[in-house]
Amino acid sequence: KLVRELKADLVYIDPPYNTGNAFEHYDDGLEHSIWLSLMRERLIILRNLLTEDGSIWISIDADECHYLKVLCDEIFGRPNFIDEVIWQRSYAPINLKKTLSRCHDAILVYEVI
């Protein structure tokens, strides 16, 4: 019996940003190495669900963005990195820090070849 494999052209994920503020029932405040290990497993699964010309878009904040970029370079291949899309998440400064206030997050975009 022939089973047709279902694949996606595009995957968009908005994983917990590892801030410790996500959900009561979700462990969101892990050490970077543990968080990256969990993300790695999920990204490999998602890569296998994409078509040969598909893309993955991953929303992330500045605290984890660069760690995640290195991980995605390993999984999807550094030459397959398309770009980092910056989007404004707030219009007013958040006065939680005494220095600069972040008002943006990033979306990492990779193609699968």
Side-chain angles (χ1 to χ4, degrees):
K1 186 175 183 180
L2 180 63
V3 177
R4 184 176 168 183
E5 190 174 328
L6 296 177
K7 297 266 186 171
D9 291 326
L10 183 139
V11 169
Y12 171 81
I13 61 171
D14 186 12
Y17 292 179
N18 201 27
T19 61
N21 299 318
F23 305 103
E24 184 178 311
H25 63 281
Y26 185 86
D27 194 3
D28 179 39
L30 304 169
E31 290 186 30
H32 292 294
S33 60
I34 295 170
W35 184 83
L36 287 169
S37 293
L38 295 171
M39 287 301 299
R40 184 177 196 283
E41 294 172 16
R42 286 151 181 82
L43 290 171
I44 289 171
I45 291 168
L46 292 171
R47 182 195 63 202
N48 293 330
L49 291 175
L50 285 166
T51 59
E52 289 182 17
D53 60 347
S55 65
I56 185 164
W57 299 58
I58 308 166
S59 183
I60 198 70
D61 70 353
D63 291 327
E64 295 294 346
C65 183
H66 298 95
Y67 295 101
L68 186 60
K69 166 83 170 69
V70 172
L71 178 64
C72 288
D73 284 349
E74 175 191 327
I75 293 170
F76 298 103
R78 192 171 185 182
N80 295 328
F81 176 68
I82 301 297
D83 212 339
E84 175 183 16
V85 178
I86 303 298
W87 65 277
Q88 187 172 357
R89 64 175 160 81
S90 66
Y91 294 99
I94 300 170
N95 295 319
L96 300 176
K97 297 184 179 185
K98 294 182 181 183
T99 57
L100 302 175
S101 178
R102 291 186 191 137
C103 63
H104 72 276
D105 281 341
I107 300 173
L108 301 178
V109 182
Y110 283 82
E111 65 182 345
V112 178
I113 295 180

